[in-house]
Amino acid sequence: MNDSVMRHTDSTHPIVVTFNVGSATIKMAAYDTAKAVDSSPLAWSPLFDVNINLKTKNKVWHAMPQSLADWEPQDSLTDTAVSLFTRVKQTFPAREIVCIHRVVHGGKRYHVPVVINETVMAHLVELSPICPLHQPPALSVVNALQAIDTKLVHIAAFDTAFHYHRPEIWSSYALPKSLRDQGVRCYGFHGLSYQAIMRKLETYLPKIAKKRLIIAHLGSGCSITAVDNGESKDSTFGFSGLDGVPMGTRPGHLDSGVILYMVEQGWTLEQMNQCLYKESGLLGLSEISNDVRDLLASDDPRAKFALVYFATHAAKEIASLMVSMKGCDALIFTAGIGEQSAIIRQMIVEQLDFLGFSLDADKNIDGRIDVPILRINSDDDKQIYVILTDEQLELALSLEHAITIETDA
């Protein structure tokens, strides 16, 4: 297959619409490529965050544009995406529009952004069973938008790409070669978030960007990655989005023997998917909620146990990842929990004091921070930061790197 770089002439300056689709949520933003990245390229005021199940809409960072004043979430993710996209087209009727989608899994084939055509779509559909929460909804949005406008250009940017060149010692499983040749390996995810963090470090703290970092992306989905001199070395996510740190509804690290036991007990594939992707993690431990905020507000001992379990296992993973770099110079927290929960950060760091990490209580503030990077400790040797991730902007920046792959005959 021949690759060619997709470029837009300076005269076109397309509006880039970014889609970050989850199992029940969709984040969407619009960017004007005529504006420089450092001069706030958001063209369409808000970053929109919609939860379909709860029928809620959150506007992040910016005021509501007039074109969305009366807008409400639809009954499905695809309908919501189409509805929002229609409003964007109405706002910019004379501008070319390019859609860029966060696609969780790129498999062994894709480690740069690619234009989605029949060949690419077929390969991405094949990867859906590995990421059932995210891959199918993201691809369904692509199909829905393509159905209303066949001339639209769609680009996939992959969460696996940041980890693609990890050393084989950290990207392999101790499995027969036949399985490894089929693509059973440690891929790692949340790559767009890690790229965003590294971009901010290179901008604001370039010396730190070249050091040995542990970046903890803690949200509804969680992963922690060791980054050495800007490159992924090891990560808690592996073949799928189930491994590593316990998450909102996913168990994190799990003895594979448990899966064999479930099969022996007669569990169907559908039942196992439901249990492992939607009923485990903080929800399974607490039987109350998958939301850290709910658990922090609860007096139920099950809630406390779930939070302690989460923090303890996160600390364990952080310590383990240091092996790949023979140490760590800075610990970074990001994503919803990592950015906003001072208590969870404290619970994790307290268990790493034997490694030289400690927080400054006055700097470790609760709630969303209002600076790109916040230092929350005083020790120059083991630095700790909170950094706001920006996956949407990272998606938009994928435009200049996207390639086109020929459709199979």
Side-chain angles (χ1 to χ4, degrees), residues 23-25 50-56 74-75:
S23 59
T25 63
V50 181
N51 188 306
I52 300 299
N53 290 344
L54 300 178
K55 290 297 179 85
T56 60
Q74 309 301 301
D75 292 331

Side-chain angles (χ1 to χ4, degrees), residues 13-14 31-44 95 397:
H13 291 308
Y31 297 84
D32 189 344
T33 58
K35 298 181 180 179
V37 171
D38 59 1
S39 63
S40 186
L42 275 174
W44 184 56
R95 300 287 293 275
L397 294 173

Side-chain angles (χ1 to χ4, degrees), residues 48-51 55-59 64 68-73:
F48 234 56
D49 184 353
V50 181
N51 188 306
K55 290 297 179 85
T56 60
K57 55 180 182 179
N58 300 315
K59 51 187 185 295
M64 179 82 74
L68 288 176
D70 62 342
W71 184 87
E72 294 295 335

Side-chain angles (χ1 to χ4, degrees), residues 243-260:
D243 204 2
V245 184
M247 292 160 262
T249 61
R250 288 172 272 173
H253 178 70
L254 185 69
D255 183 343
S256 52
V258 174
I259 307 301
L260 297 177

Side-chain angles (χ1 to χ4, degrees), residues 318-374:
I318 290 169
S320 175
L321 287 168
M322 294 184 194
V323 173
S324 66
M325 304 183 296
K326 297 181 173 58
C328 174
D329 302 305
L331 172 61
I332 296 164
F333 290 97
T334 192
I337 300 169
E339 293 173 8
Q340 299 185 45
S341 180
I343 296 175
I344 295 298
R345 294 194 296 262
Q346 178 183 338
M347 291 172 67
I348 293 171
V349 174
E350 282 178 349
Q351 299 185 68
L352 298 171
D353 63 349
F354 72 101
L355 292 170
F357 289 95
S358 62
L359 287 175
D360 184 318
D362 293 330
K363 295 178 180 179
N364 185 36
I365 59 174
D366 212 356
R368 186 177 177 83
I369 65 174
D370 58 2
V371 292
I373 297 179
L374 176 68

Side-chain angles (χ1 to χ4, degrees), residues 12-33:
T12 58
H13 291 308
I15 297 295
V16 173
V17 182
T18 59
F19 296 88
N20 185 340
V21 181
S23 59
T25 63
I26 179 169
K27 295 182 176 70
M28 180 177 168
Y31 297 84
D32 189 344
T33 58

